[in-house]
Amino acid sequence: MAKLIFSPEWLDELKSRLNIVDVISRYVPLKRVSRDYVGVCPFHNEKTPSFMINEAGQYYHCFGCKASGDMIKFVEKYENIGFYEAVQILADMANMPLPSIDNNVAEEIQQKKKERQQILAVLKATAQYYYKNLYSAHPNAEQARKYLDKRQISKESIVRFGIGCSLDFESLISYLRSLGFSTSLMVKAGVVSNADGRYYDSYGKRLMFPLIDTNGDVIGFSGRLLEDKDLAKYKNTTQTPVFNKSEVVFAINLLKKQRDKERQAQHSWNGFDNIIIVEGQIDVISMHQHGFNNTVACLGTAITPQHVRKLKQFSDNIILMLDGDFAGQKAALRSIDTLRAGGVNIKVVTIPDGHDPDEFLKLYGTEKMKELLATGEEGMDYKFRVLATRYNLNSNYERTKFIHEALLVLKALTNESEQDVYLKVIQKYTGVAIEVLRADLQNLSLNTQKPFYERDDEEEKEQRPPKPTDAYTLADEYLLASIIFQKPYINTKDYLTLHFEQPLQPVYDYVLNTIKSNKEVTLSGLYSRVDVDNSNDEIRATANFAFTPDDVPELTYQSCLLKNQEKFVKSEKSKCENALDNTTDVELQKSLMQKIMEYTKQIVEINKQMQNLSQEYVRLTDDKTKNKNDTHEEE
């Protein structure tokens, strides 16, 4: 497999010299809870820590987004790099030299680097072409210039941000071909698309904003529609080997230039006082034109942990200034959680009358914008104020709903002293005693309830139909996951009685080989030997298995053992039946008939055992529920 560049033994040695807790704590603040460590997941937006690191098993798992893996996988995903680069980082941490690798693998790595450079070359040439187009006599160029004039974008800003335009759907392809670039490379770069064999400029007839990283490389584009058509106003580059929307920050290259300039002048640099995040490219450009050169935008309104990591290298203080409409409010509320989880100080500025930054500057000017920025609210204060505007707090019923929603927001804070501070804020809004609010907070669960600004996302997730999985596959995944995660109810003597075929055979092979070597089965060991991410759905589901709450998991495990056995017996019976249909040998027919009868008896016996287990399961769960209820009544 492509990922198995290094021998499993060398990878095991690398991971034995490091501790996954030490590795992950370099990226994510962790807190010890019992035998495990927990933190806020860096791979999705959450408030309640659901990211768990199992030190004994040397693996991580998020109960929110289901991300799971070993330390190599974590570095890969966090840094958004390849397997080889992630191993390089860990080898440096462990002071371990990298072993020599197969020439074919080395060539593959070199080929990927070459492809990246070629894609960047295509994007650079495209940006230069679009920029030159803006000053042509073409009608679409004239339309683009009129739009920029209307938005009061200066010539200096056009140069500073490399703004250009696409004139049509064909000329870019001819230009790039004249430079020697292949059509397939243009498609990989995302600047050319293919529809039914016809290639065309992905951004035909749009005003173009190049997206540039901190290295000064053009990695993609955002194009604004100039014609009044029933199409998306803005179109961004799709995912490419060099472009990932979730981590692109518009104008971050200008932040770096400013930082380097100040470092050179001051010989030391402690970061910008703050960074202002606005919603769109025009807003960024307008802010820069008025002297607010510390302004950037993320693509779309969703701020991701990757965005925060990139911005944190320039400042620990963020001013969030999204549009004042309801959509902007919800985006701000979601972003506050992500920014706080990333360890930055967050203030939110509300633009009055539903204006965006560009409109506000045109109406009121630079000085008023400075005054507005000084009114920023701390993130949590903003949350409670926005929430309070949704309810009539003079109504007992509405006030009760507000308290419930406010406590949902507060429950996400893991620091008890911080919770106490904001309990006083809720008390100020409602007049309810702190002791009562604290008692309600302790009884609240975020497992089944989410704050209002997250509910749309949760509903969308619930509406996505899960991939159907047959009972046998689910049972097999449960068995192997129980073994890999070393659940207390597993019995090692059961390992050799199990039967697996593709697609889960590689996982079972790892289990058997590890036991024969007198070593411990772990998720980390599986990742060293199986390319989980590029494997089939069943292997990925096993490695990321989500164990649901279960009062008697040992019975669930026994039931899955029986399902595994039943599947095997049915398979053997089916083979005999097929063989019987295809033979005229009388003696062989008798032998096959005898085997079919034996397999039938086994299936009947397995079904009886499963039925008994089911009845036992119901009895035990009922007893436990009754005991819980009796305890509550006594209390």
Side-chain angles (χ1 to χ4, degrees):
M1 290 184 180
K3 269 199 174 183
L4 302 183
I5 299 170
F6 307 100
S7 71
E9 292 73 24
W10 188 87
L11 290 174
D12 286 342
E13 174 65 20
L14 170 65
K15 287 186 277 191
S16 72
R17 295 194 186 187
L18 298 169
N19 187 317
I20 194 168
V21 174
D22 296 333
V23 172
I24 294 180
S25 63
R26 297 187 181 207
Y27 301 90
V28 178
L30 300 177
K31 179 181 178 181
R32 181 155 197 154
V33 177
S34 186
R35 294 180 301 172
D36 299 325
Y37 290 80
V38 297
V40 175
C41 180
F43 305 129
H44 81 291
N45 183 11
E46 68 173 8
K47 302 184 298 300
T48 304
S50 61
F51 185 73
M52 182 273 295
I53 296 88
N54 184 298
E55 187 174 23
Q58 289 291 294
Y59 67 87
Y60 67 87
H61 179 76
C62 176
F63 293 96
C65 68
K66 312 306 178 188
S68 183
D70 62 356
M71 63 178 70
I72 301 174
K73 175 62 181 173
F74 177 86
V75 174
E76 269 189 90
K77 193 166 183 179
Y78 190 98
E79 299 282 5
N80 192 31
I81 55 179
F83 176 78
Y84 183 82
E85 291 79 9
V87 171
Q88 278 185 310
I89 290 174
L90 291 170
D92 288 341
M93 290 184 191
N95 292 317
M96 268 181 79
L98 288 175
S100 59
I101 58 177
D102 182 87
N103 289 336
N104 292 333
V105 175
E107 186 178 341
E108 181 183 340
I109 293 170
Q110 195 59 38
Q111 185 61 36
K112 286 184 179 179
K113 289 182 179 179
K114 182 181 178 182
E115 180 186 70
R116 177 182 174 84
Q117 293 305 314
Q118 289 174 333
I119 289 173
L120 292 175
V122 169
L123 292 166
K124 181 179 180 180
T126 301
Q128 292 171 338
Y129 184 69
Y130 287 150
Y131 177 77
K132 291 176 183 177
N133 283 347
L134 189 62
Y135 296 99
S136 73
H138 196 284
N140 288 333
E142 184 179 356
Q143 185 181 14
R145 291 193 297 270
K146 284 182 179 178
Y147 176 82
L148 292 171
D149 288 341
K150 177 184 174 183
R151 299 301 298 264
Q152 299 177 27
I153 305 298
S154 68
K155 291 182 179 178
E156 290 77 13
S157 290
I158 292 172
V159 175
R160 180 176 171 81
F161 289 91
I163 301 171
C165 70
S166 170
L167 301 177
D168 51 43
F169 290 92
E170 297 84 23
S171 59
L172 173 67
I173 299 174
S174 299
Y175 173 74
L176 293 176
R177 280 175 177 163
S178 73
L179 298 179
F181 296 117
S182 67
T183 309
S184 62
L185 192 60
M186 300 177 207
V187 173
K188 281 183 181 178
V191 298
V192 169
S193 300
N194 179 11
D196 299 325
R198 175 180 166 269
Y199 293 97
Y200 60 93
D201 184 341
S202 301
Y203 308 96
K205 300 182 181 180
R206 289 178 183 262
L207 185 70
M208 299 303 297
F209 301 93
L211 305 170
I212 305 172
D213 65 11
T214 51
N215 296 321
D217 292 321
V218 178
I219 56 174
F221 294 93
S222 184
R224 190 195 189 282
L225 197 66
L226 290 171
E227 297 178 323
D228 187 15
K229 288 187 175 182
D230 188 20
L231 294 170
K233 184 182 290 186
Y234 277 94
K235 183 178 183 181
N236 299 316
T237 296
T238 55
Q239 187 89 3
T240 74
V242 302
F243 181 87
N244 184 342
K245 179 182 175 181
S246 65
E247 59 184 34
V248 173
V249 178
F250 181 70
I252 197 170
N253 58 309
L254 300 179
L255 276 185
K256 182 175 182 292
K257 282 185 180 179
Q258 183 68 18
R259 179 189 70 182
D260 294 346
K261 182 179 177 181
E262 291 183 11
R263 273 179 173 169
Q264 190 172 7
Q266 301 169 9
H267 302 294
S268 64
W269 190 77
N270 296 319
F272 294 114
D273 290 339
N274 53 59
I275 294 172
I276 304 167
I277 301 179
V278 296
E279 195 166 325
Q281 287 96 334
I282 297 294
D283 291 329
V284 172
I285 294 168
S286 185
M287 290 286 284
H288 277 245
Q289 287 185 173
H290 286 80
F292 302 98
N293 295 329
N294 56 333
T295 305
V296 298
C298 303
L299 296 189
T301 55
I303 294 175
T304 68
Q306 294 94 317
H307 291 138
V308 181
R309 291 198 296 271
K310 286 182 178 292
L311 293 172
K312 202 173 186 298
Q313 62 183 300
F314 298 101
S315 179
D316 288 328
N317 303 303
I318 299 291
I319 296 177
L320 190 61
M321 189 165 61
L322 301 180
D323 295 355
D325 57 13
F326 182 65
Q329 280 187 348
K330 292 189 76 171
L333 290 166
R334 291 191 187 104
S335 298
I336 288 168
D337 298 329
T338 307
L339 290 161
R340 282 171 59 87
V344 298
N345 304 311
I346 169 70
K347 287 194 173 181
V348 183
V349 170
T350 303
I351 307 175
D353 303 322
H355 293 306
D356 61 33
D358 178 53
E359 292 168 340
F360 184 88
L361 284 166
K362 286 182 172 65
L363 287 169
Y364 304 108
T366 304
E367 291 306 313
K368 286 293 183 183
M369 176 59 81
K370 288 180 181 177
E371 293 176 14
L372 182 64
L373 288 169
T375 66
E377 296 176 89
E378 195 277 328
M380 291 299 295
D381 290 335
Y382 173 81
K383 277 189 176 187
F384 291 121
R385 183 178 65 78
V386 169
L387 189 58
T389 62
R390 292 171 53 83
Y391 299 97
N392 176 11
L393 298 182
N394 293 320
S395 160
N396 290 332
Y397 175 70
E398 292 274 299
R399 189 159 63 249
T400 301
K401 289 175 68 176
F402 167 78
I403 291 171
H404 179 74
E405 292 285 354
L407 291 177
L408 281 176
V409 171
L410 199 55
K411 188 73 173 179
L413 301 179
T414 55
N415 189 307
E416 291 185 8
S417 60
E418 195 175 15
Q419 285 183 343
D420 272 356
V421 168
Y422 290 107
L423 279 172
K424 293 175 183 176
V425 174
I426 300 174
Q427 182 193 38
K428 182 180 176 182
Y429 276 111
T430 63
V432 176
I434 289 225
E435 291 74 16
V436 175
L437 293 173
R438 186 178 288 112
D440 285 348
L441 179 66
Q442 290 174 348
N443 293 328
L444 200 63
S445 171
L446 285 178
N447 292 332
T448 57
Q449 302 174 87
K450 299 292 179 184
F452 78 94
Y453 54 86
E454 284 189 354
R455 284 179 196 147
D456 286 346
D457 290 343
E458 292 301 315
E459 288 169 0
E460 285 175 6
K461 288 178 183 177
E462 289 174 3
Q463 289 170 5
R464 291 174 193 158
K467 180 184 175 182
T469 305
D470 67 86
Y472 293 122
T473 301
L474 193 58
D476 286 350
E477 290 171 0
Y478 184 93
L479 289 172
L480 288 171
S482 297
I483 294 169
I484 290 168
F485 290 99
Q486 291 294 293
K487 294 295 183 179
Y489 49 78
I490 62 175
N491 191 331
T492 53
K493 71 178 183 180
D494 296 327
Y495 293 178
L496 300 179
T497 67
L498 296 172
H499 303 277
F500 294 97
E501 298 176 354
Q502 293 296 347
L504 287 169
Q505 187 64 46
V507 182
Y508 188 50
D509 288 344
Y510 159 67
V511 170
L512 293 180
N513 291 334
T514 303
I515 292 169
K516 289 176 183 176
S517 302
N518 293 318
K519 294 181 179 178
E520 187 177 3
V521 175
T522 65
L523 181 65
S524 179
L526 176 68
Y527 268 88
S528 293
R529 288 154 179 81
V530 178
D531 187 1
V532 173
D533 294 329
N534 293 313
S535 295
N536 52 64
D537 291 343
E538 290 78 9
I539 289 179
R540 289 196 299 272
T542 302
N544 296 278
F545 197 87
F547 291 93
T548 57
D550 191 346
D551 287 334
V552 279
E554 61 276 9
L555 293 189
T556 303
Y557 176 72
Q558 291 296 324
S559 176
C560 290
L561 286 174
L562 289 171
K563 290 298 289 183
N564 180 271
Q565 186 181 353
E566 181 187 40
K567 179 188 66 173
F568 172 73
V569 174
K570 282 186 174 181
S571 174
E572 294 300 304
K573 178 173 176 278
S574 178
K575 290 176 185 177
C576 290
E577 288 171 340
N578 290 334
L580 183 63
D581 291 338
N582 293 300
T583 184
T584 56
D585 187 310
V586 176
E587 290 302 318
L588 181 56
Q589 286 177 342
K590 288 181 181 179
S591 174
L592 289 170
M593 285 293 294
Q594 183 64 35
K595 287 182 179 180
I596 290 171
M597 290 175 63
E598 290 173 0
Y599 288 137
T600 302
K601 289 179 182 178
Q602 289 181 39
I603 292 170
V604 170
E605 179 59 30
I606 290 170
N607 287 331
K608 283 182 181 178
Q609 292 180 43
M610 290 177 66
Q611 193 172 19
N612 291 337
L613 269 180
S614 179
Q615 292 171 352
E616 180 71 2
Y617 187 94
V618 171
R619 185 185 67 78
L620 288 174
T621 51
D622 284 348
D623 287 347
K624 290 195 176 186
T625 302
K626 184 177 180 300
N627 290 336
K628 287 179 184 177
N629 292 336
D630 290 344
T631 302
H632 287 312
E633 288 175 5
E634 289 173 5
E635 293 174 351

